[in-house]
Amino acid sequence: MKLEVAGISHTGAVRDSNQDVVAWQVTDDGGSALLVVADGMGGYQGGEIASRLAADSVMEVMVPVLFLDAADKGEIDPNDCLETAFDLANDRILERRKTDERLEKMGTTLVVAWVEGNTAHITHAGDSRCYLIRDGQPTCLTRDDTVVQNMLEDGSINEADVANVPFRNVLTRAVGAMNPLELTFCSQPVRPGDCLLLCSDGLTHSVPEAEWSRILKESESRESAVNALIEAALERQASDNVSVVLLTLK
């Protein structure tokens, strides 16, 4: 399969700064790819620092793995490798927090997809998401690590109540905010014609998933699709930073 990627991170319609970071890498032969989205938090400059440290740590660990030959890759457990990358990010953020009391509350969401062969290996902490888009229909592959998601699952509230929960965005997991770090792993078979979309909650909170199919269908390229999703979020006055990374499989 041929893997190709486009991505954008935007400040949004309200915020003055962008605490999101996106990153990606595709091998020269287009056969392997790494996608990263981080959404920082923590006031002062904390969110920007945390998300950058997280994204840079993942790229530092994972990009060399991406370019290994097939035999060496076959010896690697994908989850172990991704866990190593997340642990490095967590350690670096925790260490940086100690250097300035203004950074004591910083942390970040982090979602990473490593596509190798016919499989996407996905790891995350927080509420940035990864979607499989197959036949134009998005399916979320990650679970939000939030208080409100816990409440939905235990029946304390229903979907109609979510907008009225004042602490709906409070995270139960974040990189740099807990030690040891708890992660969620999954592996998803992929095939030609599929897309993977990683995003921060600036997109999911402003543009309903039901509208994504139309936007993607009307777009002529990956780049125009990413731009269109960002524009849709801005038109709805997205109150948070908005980030999208889109991978196509041909």
Side-chain angles (χ1 to χ4, degrees), residues 42-105:
Y44 178 51
Q45 296 177 336
E48 297 170 58
I49 295 170
S51 57
R52 174 52 62 189
L53 284 171
D56 288 350
S57 297
V58 169
M59 298 299 283
E60 180 180 325
V61 172
M62 294 300 303
V63 169
V65 175
L66 211 65
F67 285 89
L68 290 174
D69 60 39
D72 289 335
K73 283 182 183 177
E75 299 297 319
I76 293 174
D77 183 303
N79 289 351
D80 286 348
C81 194
L82 287 163
E83 185 174 18
T84 297
F86 274 69
D87 283 345
L88 178 63
N90 198 54
D91 291 345
R92 285 180 172 171
I93 295 170
L94 288 170
E95 284 301 312
R96 186 62 181 274
R97 287 173 63 169
K98 297 176 182 178
T99 67
D100 189 333
E101 62 182 13
R102 292 172 295 182
L103 302 177
E104 65 180 1
K105 295 182 179 179

Side-chain angles (χ1 to χ4, degrees), residues 7-72:
I8 296 177
S9 184
H10 195 284
T11 304
V14 176
R15 298 290 179 90
D16 294 324
S17 63
N18 192 352
Q19 300 185 61
D20 287 4
V21 172
V22 301
W24 63 88
Q25 180 70 57
V26 181
T27 54
D28 298 335
D29 63 3
S32 304
L34 181 73
L35 318 176
V36 181
V37 170
D39 178 357
M41 61 185 187
Y44 178 51
Q45 296 177 336
E48 297 170 58
I49 295 170
S51 57
R52 174 52 62 189
L53 284 171
D56 288 350
S57 297
V58 169
M59 298 299 283
E60 180 180 325
V61 172
M62 294 300 303
V63 169
V65 175
L66 211 65
F67 285 89
L68 290 174
D69 60 39
D72 289 335

Side-chain angles (χ1 to χ4, degrees), residues 124-137:
H124 85 283
D127 62 355
S128 294
R129 297 179 179 178
C130 177
Y131 287 82
L132 171 69
I133 300 174
R134 178 168 288 169
D135 300 324
Q137 300 303 313

